[in-house]
């Protein structure tokens, strides 16, 4: 829904943020969102099967506001505010954070590029993740195990500045720096990311890098002093006390008629500090393939497979590994409303570290929907039947 030159839009947004807002003289404000919920069956959550409702599976449930104003000379001002919520309870995704997903303002020019400031996704995710598996298989069941490589929407950087270049012959680059804002230790809690993409004919390519820093002596990545935090799951539980983490990933897609074929490769490295429960850096490498097929105007099919494996070290002789298969079927009643079916299975092997640093058997945790509800064994299956409505 787009409201041009409307005091109604200004009043709604002003009420949300608790401040008066004037409508753009030569601009527009768009209110948008997604309401998504599904009935879920999980074969093993801590040793027990479970049937429950889960919000945000095919797409994250959210409401947002975005707008642009024409400043003349090819320059535009822009902003975006976005909040995630739980469809089944009405609760915000992050307590005490109204716009937890995105909150930024900036300037854009077709000739010089775009500069944005605030809470944002990193270029690593925006470029590589955009053509990776989660956009077609969902993050819920299609993200690489535990989203250990951050290619789903888990990583956002606060206090961040991003520059994105104009598109030149199908190519574009983007860079982000997130300020840690710690007096006397500017690198503590900071983040930076760089990515490039290239689109030519039926091909899409992307390459990205991001580095997330906590700083020596911090006990957990769930830290209020960090501009961004890594995903947390049973897959990387033993490395949540890392001093820093960095991810490098590449993705490619080829589309011909109704068929799309894609592949990704990523390396996520966790480095210890003085407060870490592990002593040797560890890498999680993931290789994946995925495909979609538009069976009819209403029916879309998707499938993907990924293999994730970790390093040895830290007393581990048999490294953790994870095989994951994901399937999706979607029936679109309209461009805005769809029913979906998701199926995924993960098989884990080897050993890893628990959150206290002890060596344990690796356990399965499908996609990122089971980050807080992993299996107590080596396998886990997840089935979902849901509905998504965009507005």
């Amino acid at each position: 829904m787009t409201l041009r030159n409307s005091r109604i839009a200004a009043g709604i947004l002003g009420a949300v943020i608790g401040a008066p807002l004037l409508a753009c003289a030569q601009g527009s404000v768009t209110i948008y969102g997604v309401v998504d919920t599904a009935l879920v069956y999980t074969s093993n959550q801590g040793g027990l099967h479970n049937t429950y409702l889960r919000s945000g599976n095919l797409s994250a449930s959210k409401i947002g506001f975005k707008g642009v104003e024409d400043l003349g000379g090819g320059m535009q001002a822009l902003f975006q505010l976005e909040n995630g919520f739980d469809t089944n309870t009405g609760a915000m995704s992050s307590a005490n954070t109204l716009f937890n997903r995105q909150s930024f303002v900036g300037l854009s020019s077709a000739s010089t590029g775009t500069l944005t400031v605030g809470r944002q996704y990193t270029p690593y995710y925006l470029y590589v993740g955009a053509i990776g598996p989660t956009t077609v298989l969902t993050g819920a069941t299609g993200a690489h195990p535990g989203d250990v490589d951050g290619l789903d929407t888990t990583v956002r950087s606060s206090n961040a500045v991003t520059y994105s270049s104009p598109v030149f012959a199908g190519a574009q680059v983007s860079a982000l720096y997130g300020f840690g804002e710690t007096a006397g230790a500017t690198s503590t809690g900071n983040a930076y990311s760089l990515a490039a993409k290239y689109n030519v004919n039926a091909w899409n390519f992307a390459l990205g890098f991001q580095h997330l820093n906590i700083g020596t002596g911090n006990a957990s990545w769930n830290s209020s002093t960090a501009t961004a935090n890594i995903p947390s799951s049973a897959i990387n539980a033993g490395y949540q006390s890392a001093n820093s983490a960095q991810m490098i990933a590449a993705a490619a897609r080829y589309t011909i008629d109704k068929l799309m074929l894609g592949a990704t490769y990523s390396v996520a490295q966790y480095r210890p500090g003085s407060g870490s429960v592990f002593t040797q850096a560890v890498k999680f490498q993931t290789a994946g393939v995925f495909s979609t097929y538009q069976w009819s105007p209403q029916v879309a099919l998707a499938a993907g497979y990924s293999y994730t494996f970790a390093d040895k070290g830290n007393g581990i002789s048999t490294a953790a590994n994870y095989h994951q298969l994901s399937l999706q079927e979607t029936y679109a009643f309209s461009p805005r409303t769809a029913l979906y079916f998701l199926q995924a299975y993960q098989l884990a092997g080897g050993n890893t570290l628990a959150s206290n640093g002890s060596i344990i058997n690796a356990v399965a945790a499908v996609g990122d929907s089971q980050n807080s509800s992993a299996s107590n064994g080596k396998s886990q299956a997840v089935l979902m039947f849901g509905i998504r409505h965009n507005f």
Side-chain angles (χ1 to χ4, degrees):
M1 173 175 61
T2 300
L3 307 176
R4 295 186 178 276
N5 307 322
S6 172
R7 293 187 179 276
I8 296 176
I12 293 174
L13 188 54
V16 171
I17 65 176
L21 179 69
L22 296 178
C24 299
Q26 297 294 328
S28 65
V29 175
T30 300
I31 303 173
Y32 67 93
V34 176
V35 183
D36 178 311
T37 193
L39 180 66
V40 182
Y41 170 79
T42 304
S43 64
N44 187 325
Q45 289 184 340
L48 303 171
H49 64 81
N50 195 11
T51 302
Y52 57 103
L53 291 174
R54 185 178 188 275
S55 176
N57 304 293
L58 190 63
S59 301
S61 294
K62 56 184 173 283
I63 184 169
F65 307 84
K66 60 183 178 180
V68 297
E69 181 184 12
D70 187 358
L71 302 177
M75 183 76 72
Q76 289 184 324
L78 58 92
F79 78 90
Q80 187 163 358
L81 305 171
E82 189 175 281
N83 175 324
F85 62 89
D86 189 317
T87 302
N88 299 308
T89 65
M92 293 192 297
S93 297
S94 299
N96 304 316
T97 304
L98 179 56
F99 297 115
N100 68 305
R101 294 180 61 85
Q102 300 184 80
S103 175
F104 64 82
V105 64
L107 296 171
S108 179
S109 167
S111 60
T112 59
T114 301
L115 184 71
T116 53
V117 182
R119 180 169 172 81
Q120 310 169 65
Y121 292 112
T122 66
Y124 169 89
Y125 163 72
L126 290 174
Y127 283 16
V128 185
I131 63 171
T134 60
T135 55
V136 293
L137 288 169
T138 80
T141 54
H144 295 152
D147 194 28
V148 69
D149 53 11
L151 283 178
D152 194 23
T153 57
T154 312
V155 178
R156 302 175 181 88
S157 181
S158 297
N159 312 312
V161 178
T162 299
Y163 170 75
S164 301
S165 75
V167 178
F168 295 107
Q172 189 176 28
V173 297
S174 182
L176 170 147
Y177 183 81
F179 292 87
E181 301 189 344
T182 300
T186 56
S187 64
T188 298
N190 71 349
Y192 45 91
S193 175
L194 179 67
K197 63 180 179 180
Y198 178 57
N199 301 320
V200 55
N201 300 323
W203 287 96
N204 307 103
F205 302 96
L207 176 66
F209 165 84
Q210 67 182 9
H211 180 94
L212 312 175
N213 188 45
I214 280 291
T216 302
N218 286 275
S220 172
W221 270 88
N222 297 316
S223 169
S224 61
T225 63
T227 181
N229 288 305
I230 60 175
S232 175
S233 71
I235 310 301
N236 63 359
Y239 308 99
Q240 286 290 307
S241 58
N243 177 67
S244 65
Q246 67 179 27
M247 291 87 168
I248 301 173
R253 284 187 182 184
Y254 178 73
T255 304
I256 179 170
D257 195 20
K258 298 179 180 181
L259 178 67
M260 183 276 289
L261 302 172
T264 54
Y265 175 73
S266 66
V267 181
Q269 184 180 57
Y270 299 81
R271 296 174 178 171
S274 62
S276 301
V277 299
F278 64 105
T279 58
Q280 296 174 292
V282 64
K283 292 179 181 177
F284 288 86
Q285 300 183 62
T286 302
V289 292
F290 53 94
S291 179
T292 64
Y293 183 74
Q294 193 68 41
W295 183 273
S296 71
Q298 292 79 32
V299 178
L301 308 176
Y305 165 79
S306 67
Y307 175 62
T308 299
F309 59 99
D311 290 340
K312 298 178 182 179
N314 296 296
I316 294 173
S317 58
T318 304
N321 61 85
Y322 308 85
H323 297 267
Q324 182 173 285
L325 177 65
S326 304
L327 303 173
Q328 175 187 308
E329 305 84 40
T330 305
Y331 182 85
F333 290 103
S334 72
R336 294 167 56 185
T337 303
L339 291 177
Y340 60 86
F341 303 86
L342 306 176
Q343 309 90 39
Y345 177 79
Q346 187 182 121
L347 180 65
N351 301 121
T352 188
L353 296 184
S355 59
N356 63 1
S358 62
I359 298 175
I360 60 172
N361 292 329
V363 298
V366 166
D368 64 12
S369 65
Q370 305 302 310
N371 283 357
S372 60
S373 51
S375 168
N376 72 338
K378 65 180 184 179
S379 66
Q380 186 180 60
V382 176
L383 306 175
M384 296 186 179
F385 171 58
I387 182 170
R388 179 196 65 188
H389 178 74
N390 300 328
F391 62 89

